[in-house]
Amino acid sequence: MTISDLAGSGGDSPLRDVQLELVDSVDKAMEFKRWLSQSRRALGVDTESGGLRPDLHRLRLVQFGDMTRGWAIPWDRWGGVTMEALNQYEGPLVFHNAGFDCRFLQAHAGWSPPWSRIHDTMTMAHLVDPSRPKGLKPLSARLIDPRATAGETLLHTGMGQHGWTGDTVPTDFPPYWVDGALDPVLTCHVFEKLGPTLKARHYETAYDLEMTTVRICADMMTRGINIDLGYCDQKAEELRGWVVKAREMIKREYGVDNPTSNRQVIAKLQRDGVELTKRTASGADLALDKEVLNALDHPLAEYVLAIRKAEKICSTYLENFSEMIGPDGRLHPSINPLGARTGRMSITGPALQTLQRDDPTVRTAFIPSAGNRLVLCDADQIEMRLAAHFSHDQGLIDAFHQDADFFCVLASQIFGEDVKKGDRRRQITKNTGYGKLYGAGAPTIARTAKITLEAAAHFVQAFDDRFPGITQLMTKVVNEAEQRRRDEGRAYVRTPLGREVPADDEREYALVNYLIQSHAAEILKRGLADLEAADVARYLVLPVHDEVVLDVPEAEVADVVNVVESTLNDLTTYEVPLTWSAETHPSWGAKYRK
């Protein structure tokens, strides 16, 4: 079968004469082996599974392909043929989302991926253009042939007609195996398309770092982490009980029957003289999101926020962990090494990037293995340190070289008197510093710091007068991006590793934040590679924001703490020291308890 059989004639499409095959007999298996012995630049590999979890879901198909031919091999009937191919082929292997497919092949086939020979077109696509979708089919439709999605469309239609899922669709159902056999072919074409661009932009170092991160993250996902289900049950019951009482109190004190009804809460706030101006995306209604509620000085707003938070913690995390845990009794979150445009990682199943920064409630559920302790290592104010480095602002640089709290030093200089931790002016200074990195103006800073707009504007001006480097950095980055738009047709910022992070239209002001976030991601990934070289990566279980979590045998904790800190600390490369602080705890949340 060819793609023309699926979607009609395609003119001079590079996919026009691609042949797609199903291994369903001994003769087909022998034909596949003869084809596999041919010389080629790279072999595309893909899998189809019954779900997203290797520890819970079946491996259905394994597919191989090159630029002209694709094969689908049902795992349950012809797994031996698959294993021969994986173990005997010695050339480069190309996946699209290698971490996913390799984990399935490890779990179900016992295959040890030869990572030095593995390429990942999803990673390549992100490096070339992090602003575009990275799915194989839409990427292929854009780069190779618009008809690349035709098989997927036929498959979804057929599955819908029969009520099949990814776990129940028969492996010999033509739209299923044909669509699967096409995937490694598309992967090879995308590999050939993107490879020259990576080389032209001198992305070899960045790509090697990302592939190292893919491997390390795949190991972390396989390793998993322990969850204290007893704590989850107890805490969920406690939070649900508090919500019931809070709802009763709100009804009694404020006359609001349902505190999760925006209409009822808005009506009560307006009756109390609260002015609300922000509107929803459609513009039809007043908004009552987290930002709005946080900025209000009204007890009802505080209760609504607390109720929303408690209910989300219960439903999304505590009450859901028992369903997420695998047969080995451990949680195996999905780690995306390139979860954001900036190259920041993201974690789903559950979503850990969205946890409130200093709240221990969910984190306390994460515990070490028996006989182990958790080692938690966090970068110290890495975003502000990078801002000081990139801006060359001497005031910021000097503040980081003092033996005192960084934001207290800044606040003391701005206010002209000694500001200690706990002083509200420290938090205002911190909000302003980070706000400027995110491109926030006085109105946003006023809302987050809960001060008047006039006071925020005055403070922002005082901050700029004392530390002008950040504003100067923003002007420089924006001017360079606008010049690139004129010269090259696209605006972007370039990281120290040479990666180009594009701006959204008319949002060049966000590029300073992109620069800092992107390089912070590079630093974390470089740190993971260094930890592997130091022989402690085998203990890694989570990377969240600028923190790494390790599950370490009790007897080795002291040594690992020393190795992790000394490996991650960088005291010489930048204009300010980049330091990391490691602690040991009986749970992840213990670090955040006040």
Side-chain angles (χ1 to χ4, degrees):
M1 184 175 291
T2 69
I3 193 170
S4 296
D5 297 325
L6 292 176
S9 176
D12 294 329
S13 166
L15 302 179
R16 182 183 57 191
D17 298 323
V18 166
Q19 295 291 320
L20 304 175
E21 312 277 0
L22 173 68
V23 173
D24 58 357
S25 67
V26 172
D27 287 343
K28 278 293 184 182
M30 296 305 296
E31 185 180 351
F32 166 72
K33 289 184 178 182
R34 289 191 293 271
W35 169 86
L36 187 67
S37 67
Q38 299 170 5
S39 176
R40 56 181 56 83
R41 276 176 49 81
L43 178 68
V45 187
D46 189 47
T47 63
E48 298 296 332
S49 57
L52 302 178
R53 292 274 301 274
D55 56 327
L56 296 179
H57 300 122
R58 291 192 296 162
L59 179 62
R60 309 291 316 284
L61 295 177
V62 181
Q63 307 99 267
F64 299 90
D66 57 17
M67 302 283 282
T68 60
R69 204 165 185 185
W71 297 81
I73 305 179
W75 171 252
D76 59 349
R77 295 177 57 195
W78 300 94
V81 175
T82 297
M83 291 309 302
E84 284 186 32
L86 290 171
N87 291 327
Q88 293 178 9
Y89 189 81
E90 296 181 349
L93 301 171
V94 185
F95 294 81
H96 192 81
N97 194 0
F100 177 87
D101 294 312
C102 287
R103 285 191 301 120
F104 260 94
L105 291 169
Q106 280 180 292
H108 294 274
W111 183 59
S112 297
W115 285 103
S116 63
R117 294 191 283 116
I118 288 176
H119 291 278
D120 188 350
T121 49
M122 179 178 285
T123 298
M124 296 171 72
H126 182 98
L127 289 173
V128 169
D129 189 349
S131 65
R132 289 184 178 270
K134 309 303 179 301
L136 177 61
K137 293 296 174 42
L139 184 66
S140 300
R142 178 168 60 87
L143 296 178
I144 311 301
D145 186 333
R147 300 172 306 157
T149 61
E152 188 176 52
T153 301
L154 289 175
L155 172 61
H156 290 166
T157 299
M159 290 174 65
Q161 290 173 345
H162 292 86
W164 289 327
T165 67
D167 193 47
T168 59
V169 56
T171 54
D172 60 355
F173 180 53
Y176 183 61
W177 71 257
V178 167
D179 187 61
L182 180 61
D183 283 349
V185 176
L186 296 177
T187 300
C188 287
H189 279 270
V190 171
F191 178 68
E192 293 295 335
K193 193 81 171 180
L194 296 181
T197 303
L198 286 181
K199 188 173 182 180
R201 294 189 188 176
H202 307 288
Y203 275 1
E204 292 88 350
T205 299
Y207 178 65
D208 286 347
L209 179 60
E210 293 297 345
M211 287 305 299
T212 298
T213 305
V214 167
R215 171 170 47 79
I216 292 172
C217 287
D219 288 344
M220 280 191 273
M221 287 185 273
T222 299
R223 197 170 296 127
I225 187 170
N226 268 3
I227 296 293
D228 185 345
L229 292 180
Y231 163 81
C232 293
D233 292 342
Q234 178 184 349
K235 194 64 179 179
E237 183 179 1
E238 175 187 321
L239 289 174
R240 289 294 188 191
W242 178 86
V243 167
V244 170
K245 293 179 180 178
R247 284 175 173 269
E248 292 173 350
M249 186 278 297
I250 287 174
K251 182 176 182 179
R252 182 176 64 252
E253 298 292 331
Y254 301 104
V256 175
D257 293 331
N258 182 7
T260 59
S261 166
N262 285 357
R263 181 183 59 80
Q264 292 185 30
V265 174
I266 287 172
K268 172 56 180 173
L269 292 172
Q270 289 179 326
R271 287 196 299 271
D272 287 355
V274 175
E275 183 180 1
L276 300 171
T277 58
K278 184 178 178 180
R279 306 196 75 84
T280 59
S282 66
D285 301 295
L286 288 170
L288 199 68
D289 55 24
K290 184 177 180 180
E291 181 186 39
V292 172
L293 289 167
N294 266 321
L296 298 180
D297 185 16
H298 193 291
L300 178 58
E302 296 178 9
Y303 275 109
V304 170
L305 274 172
I307 288 172
R308 288 182 182 179
K309 178 182 175 182
E311 292 183 334
K312 180 176 181 179
I313 285 174
C314 289
S315 61
T316 304
Y317 300 100
L318 302 179
E319 296 171 346
N320 208 19
F321 279 153
S322 61
E323 299 297 322
M324 295 180 177
I325 287 176
D328 60 354
R330 296 171 73 85
L331 181 72
H332 297 268
S334 178
I335 305 170
N336 183 350
L338 290 165
R341 170 191 304 229
T342 59
R344 286 287 202 179
M345 290 188 262
S346 64
I347 300 181
T348 56
L352 297 181
Q353 252 69 32
T354 59
L355 291 178
Q356 190 171 320
R357 173 64 183 173
D358 294 329
D359 188 341
T361 308
V362 174
R363 290 179 174 89
T364 300
F366 291 74
I367 58 175
S369 305
N372 286 15
R373 284 181 69 84
L374 295 185
V375 173
L376 312 170
C377 192
D378 203 356
D380 301 321
Q381 305 118 350
I382 191 167
E383 294 171 12
M384 288 304 300
R385 289 174 188 263
L386 290 179
H389 170 76
F390 288 126
S391 69
H392 310 294
D393 187 289
Q394 197 59 50
L396 295 176
I397 293 169
D398 291 344
F400 275 117
H401 285 285
Q402 294 188 36
D403 187 20
D405 178 81
F406 171 71
F407 290 108
C408 285
V409 173
L410 297 193
S412 297
Q413 293 185 30
I414 293 171
F415 289 100
E417 57 183 89
D418 193 22
V419 175
K420 302 290 188 183
K421 277 191 173 182
D423 190 315
R424 188 162 177 260
R425 291 173 296 181
R426 178 191 182 276
Q427 188 62 44
I428 295 173
T429 303
K430 184 176 181 179
N431 288 352
T432 301
Y434 283 112
K436 290 189 70 65
L437 299 187
Y438 303 146
T444 300
I445 292 170
R447 287 196 300 271
T448 57
K450 295 188 177 181
I451 58 178
T452 66
L453 178 57
E454 182 181 6
H458 176 77
F459 188 79
V460 169
Q461 185 61 56
F463 188 100
D464 289 342
D465 290 342
R466 185 64 187 82
F467 308 106
I470 293 181
T471 299
Q472 293 168 1
L473 173 64
M474 184 172 293
T475 300
K476 176 177 178 289
V477 168
V478 168
N479 287 343
E480 288 177 350
E482 290 175 344
Q483 185 63 50
R484 287 166 177 153
R485 190 186 296 279
R486 290 190 292 270
D487 295 344
E488 306 173 36
R490 58 195 181 93
Y492 60 88
V493 65
R494 183 177 284 116
T495 74
L497 282 190
R499 294 174 52 207
E500 298 169 5
V501 186
D504 292 319
D505 290 341
E506 309 302 325
R507 293 190 74 246
E508 284 85 353
Y509 66 85
L511 285 176
V512 167
N513 183 43
Y514 289 176
L515 171 64
I516 290 171
Q517 297 292 338
S518 295
H519 193 47
E522 292 172 345
I523 289 170
L524 175 60
K525 292 171 182 180
R526 190 171 60 202
L528 294 178
D530 291 342
L531 291 176
E532 182 179 59
D535 198 30
V536 296
R538 65 185 185 275
Y539 300 132
L540 286 167
V541 289
L542 287 176
V544 183
H545 296 300
D546 297 304
E547 180 179 21
V548 291
V549 181
L550 302 92
D551 188 3
V552 182
E554 189 79 46
E556 299 181 42
V557 165
D559 288 340
V560 170
V561 166
N562 290 332
V563 169
V564 169
E565 283 192 342
S566 61
T567 299
L568 296 180
N569 284 347
D570 187 342
L571 308 181
T572 59
T573 304
Y574 300 87
E575 293 195 31
V576 298
L578 300 189
T579 59
W580 295 68
S581 301
E583 304 174 10
T584 66
H585 291 285
S587 75
W588 187 19
K591 172 182 174 180
Y592 296 91
R593 290 184 191 138
K594 295 183 174 66

